[in-house]
Amino acid sequence: MFQYSSLDSTQSDIRLISLLPGTKSDELRCELLHISPQDNPLYEALSYTWGEQSLGKCTIVLNNLAFSITPNLGIALYHLRYESVARILWIDALCINQLDDEEKSNQVQKMKDIYQKASKVLVWLGHAEQDSDVAMDLIANIGHINLDSIPENIEDRDTRKAWDALLQLFRRQWWTRSWVLQEIAVASSDPLVGCGHKWLPWDIFELAHNLMVRSVSIRVLQSPPLTFGMLCTIRDHRKDTTRIQGIGNLLHGTIAFEATNPRDKVFALLGLAHEDDRSAIDVDYSNSVQQVYTQVAKHLLRKDIHALCCSVNSQSHNLPSWVSDWSRLSSQWSLWMPGTYSASAGHSADIRYASDPCILKVASVLVDRISNFDKVSRVDIAQPTASDPSTEEVLDNIEWTLRAAIKKQPASGLSSLDPCKSDALWRTLVTNRYIFGKAHTPGPKSPAPVDFGKRYEVFRDRLRVPKSFKPELPYSQRKEEYIKPLVQSLQMGNQRFFITQGHRIGLGPQELQQDDMVVLILGADMPFIVRSRGIHHQLIGPSYVHGIMNGEFLKSRTKAEMKKITTRFTLK
């Protein structure tokens, strides 16, 4: 039975693999080499996915002893092996003792240098299937494709087959693996991408992706993955040291990437982050996911209280409610955008920690409590399904909820919020911001333009499109174009409409319940939904509450009044 000999953790030694030569029918034989980086070894580093563990194991011979690896790595080694000479490689599953958490923690911190110093980074997408050879041939010739000819050939069977094959290639698991971000970003030369027996340089893949994004006709056939764009962006940022991102931004931007070990959602990004991030967060696989994510949360909160806006209620890993679950694919935090609101009216954050590492104490002001909310079920917009309610169905239920509350309390302040009389509802539904401004500047802008009111009424079929708006188009198309800015700005995808006891309306997390509190955590731009849990409180998430987003609830308060209404919520 094979056993690793220990690496000296005080040194910078690593292991390399010598993949011994052989023909296709020969068994895979490898030798482990202990190397000091000072020796300037020449090697290639493999970037791949381990593949499904349930598919069994592949056995190779390592240092003359049997050693089990995943089938995907076995296939990769068969394709990488030379017939007459050995090939020197760095492969995590072989060069790191995966059963030794201490060694793994130590070696993972060296991976940035390992991939950076490799003579070539080899990307293995997997064996040839789903017409991948056709896709690789298309990519190889992508520079010669005339985009103007695509619309004419869009129904051509071979053309469609080629672009569909390319889409399938971009949907392979490798493109969504967290570790590939660092492996590609730090490569000192253009990585080589392989699928089956075909290999192409990385920059050709970038060209193919850019063409897919730019060409409307191709996008009819294909929807290129967002993860590829993020890979390219981070690789570009690494070329300019002034654009290195903090761990918080990296975690936000790479939420669509996945890791088998939830700790790797953080560890895989540390090599790309600022030095202060790397020194503050321990790479230690013996720590629980709760410990790792809590340490990240505390580090981010030292910089900005808005790290709380990222918190997503999660039942996984026994996380405190104020700690973000980075292993969960979600767009919950899309409700918050930096610099858009000022609900705290300039009051500074006051955060304290308890002896219990799961407790966070925050200076806060109770504003209101939830009395009612719409009951239409939502599915995370990151993973929509055909059974999800339509936007129209959601809006029908929201308006019914509001009108029912007005009918129940006709003399209350709610009557002034009737959607036919007030702009409060539609402003709430877009969180009083719009995605595309007239100046076409990036990012949402606030407040939303007044004409959104008319667009909302057209969307709800209570008004018709103005006659002067694109009269040359059929009415259905005119309506679609007219309401587009509004529809693109709607924020109800994974948010829930609510009404408070104080006759306010807002949007908040799907998990909100009756009697949950609307709380201003001092220093934060947005109010939060908080739930009482005995002597502690559960942070449900950020919210939009119409009428208090610009500090209206606090900015006229005296110091004495602030002292009286401020309390310390104990979040757990």
Side-chain angles (χ1 to χ4, degrees), residues 432-495:
N432 204 20
R433 64 189 188 191
Y434 58 107
I435 304 300
F436 297 106
K438 292 181 180 179
H440 301 291
T441 52
K445 302 298 176 185
S446 184
V450 175
D451 72 352
F452 267 26
K454 286 185 179 179
R455 295 176 195 268
Y456 180 76
E457 292 300 300
V458 171
F459 186 31
R460 303 297 291 146
D461 289 324
R462 291 191 285 259
L463 284 179
R464 290 182 63 81
V465 178
K467 292 181 180 180
S468 59
F469 182 81
K470 299 187 176 182
E472 71 281 4
L473 298 177
Y475 184 80
S476 60
Q477 193 173 345
R478 290 173 60 213
K479 178 182 176 182
E480 183 179 352
E481 290 291 320
Y482 185 71
I483 65 175
K484 185 177 181 179
L486 169 81
V487 174
Q488 289 175 327
S489 300
L490 289 171
Q491 296 292 318
M492 315 104 56
N494 63 345
Q495 305 296 322

Side-chain angles (χ1 to χ4, degrees), residues 315-335:
Q315 305 303 313
S316 304
H317 317 305
N318 198 28
L319 294 176
S321 64
W322 52 273
V323 172
S324 298
D325 183 358
W326 299 108
S327 69
R328 178 179 172 185
L329 293 179
S330 175
S331 49
Q332 179 74 54
W333 46 82
S334 62
L335 196 60

Side-chain angles (χ1 to χ4, degrees), residues 7 51 54 139 142 180 276 308-309 353 407 424 427 534 546 566:
L7 290 171
S54 60
I139 294 171
I142 203 78
V180 307
D276 70 313
L308 293 176
C309 292
Y353 297 101
K407 185 176 181 180
R427 287 193 182 278
H546 193 69
T566 301

Side-chain angles (χ1 to χ4, degrees), residues 276-565:
D276 70 313
D277 295 322
R278 295 196 295 273
S279 61
I281 299 170
D282 301 323
V283 178
D284 187 345
Y285 283 94
S286 66
N287 285 340
S288 66
V289 177
Q290 182 199 81
Q291 289 173 309
V292 173
Y293 285 11
T294 300
Q295 187 180 45
V296 171
K298 289 182 177 180
H299 172 62
L300 295 177
L301 284 168
R302 280 193 286 270
K303 298 181 177 183
D304 190 349
I305 195 169
H306 293 103
L308 293 176
C309 292
C310 309
S311 299
V312 177
N313 274 282
S314 174
Q315 305 303 313
S316 304
H317 317 305
N318 198 28
L319 294 176
S321 64
W322 52 273
V323 172
S324 298
D325 183 358
W326 299 108
S327 69
R328 178 179 172 185
L329 293 179
S330 175
S331 49
Q332 179 74 54
W333 46 82
S334 62
L335 196 60
W336 176 72
M337 290 297 294
T340 306
Y341 311 110
S342 55
S344 285
H347 290 279
S348 300
D350 184 358
I351 296 176
R352 300 179 190 178
Y353 297 101
S355 56
D356 183 342
C358 292
I359 288 179
L360 179 73
K361 298 181 178 181
V362 289
S364 309
V365 174
L366 174 62
V367 176
D368 214 333
R369 288 181 181 271
I370 293 175
S371 61
N372 200 4
F373 54 91
D374 84 274
K375 305 303 192 295
V376 174
S377 61
R378 310 287 207 281
V379 175
D380 192 330
I381 59 173
Q383 298 175 312
T385 68
S387 62
D388 290 353
S390 67
T391 301
E392 289 83 355
E393 289 174 314
V394 174
L395 290 174
D396 285 344
N397 192 268
I398 287 174
E399 289 194 6
W400 181 89
T401 300
L402 179 56
R403 288 197 169 101
I406 293 172
K407 185 176 181 180
K408 188 175 181 180
Q409 296 177 288
S412 70
L414 284 174
S415 59
S416 65
L417 303 180
D418 188 299
C420 293
K421 302 176 183 177
S422 168
D423 64 357
L425 180 60
W426 69 257
R427 287 193 182 278
T428 296
L429 297 178
V430 299
T431 59
N432 204 20
R433 64 189 188 191
Y434 58 107
I435 304 300
F436 297 106
K438 292 181 180 179
H440 301 291
T441 52
K445 302 298 176 185
S446 184
V450 175
D451 72 352
F452 267 26
K454 286 185 179 179
R455 295 176 195 268
Y456 180 76
E457 292 300 300
V458 171
F459 186 31
R460 303 297 291 146
D461 289 324
R462 291 191 285 259
L463 284 179
R464 290 182 63 81
V465 178
K467 292 181 180 180
S468 59
F469 182 81
K470 299 187 176 182
E472 71 281 4
L473 298 177
Y475 184 80
S476 60
Q477 193 173 345
R478 290 173 60 213
K479 178 182 176 182
E480 183 179 352
E481 290 291 320
Y482 185 71
I483 65 175
K484 185 177 181 179
L486 169 81
V487 174
Q488 289 175 327
S489 300
L490 289 171
Q491 296 292 318
M492 315 104 56
N494 63 345
Q495 305 296 322
R496 195 172 295 285
F497 174 79
F498 63 85
I499 302 170
T500 71
Q501 294 175 4
H503 307 139
R504 297 180 174 91
I505 59 175
L507 288 179
Q510 295 184 51
E511 299 85 356
L512 62 79
Q513 297 176 4
Q514 188 174 9
D515 210 39
D516 281 348
M517 294 174 284
V518 176
V519 173
L520 289 172
I521 296 178
L522 298 186
D525 290 345
M526 300 187 75
F528 288 81
I529 306 301
V530 176
R531 185 173 302 154
S532 293
R533 292 290 193 192
I535 62 173
H536 300 121
H537 299 90
Q538 179 184 354
L539 185 69
I540 306 302
S543 66
Y544 174 92
V545 182
H546 193 69
I548 69 169
M549 300 305 294
N550 294 313
E552 295 91 336
F553 192 80
L554 295 180
K555 59 186 175 185
S556 61
R557 308 275 182 173
T558 64
K559 286 186 178 180
E561 288 175 321
M562 283 299 301
K563 185 176 181 180
K564 185 176 181 180
I565 64 174

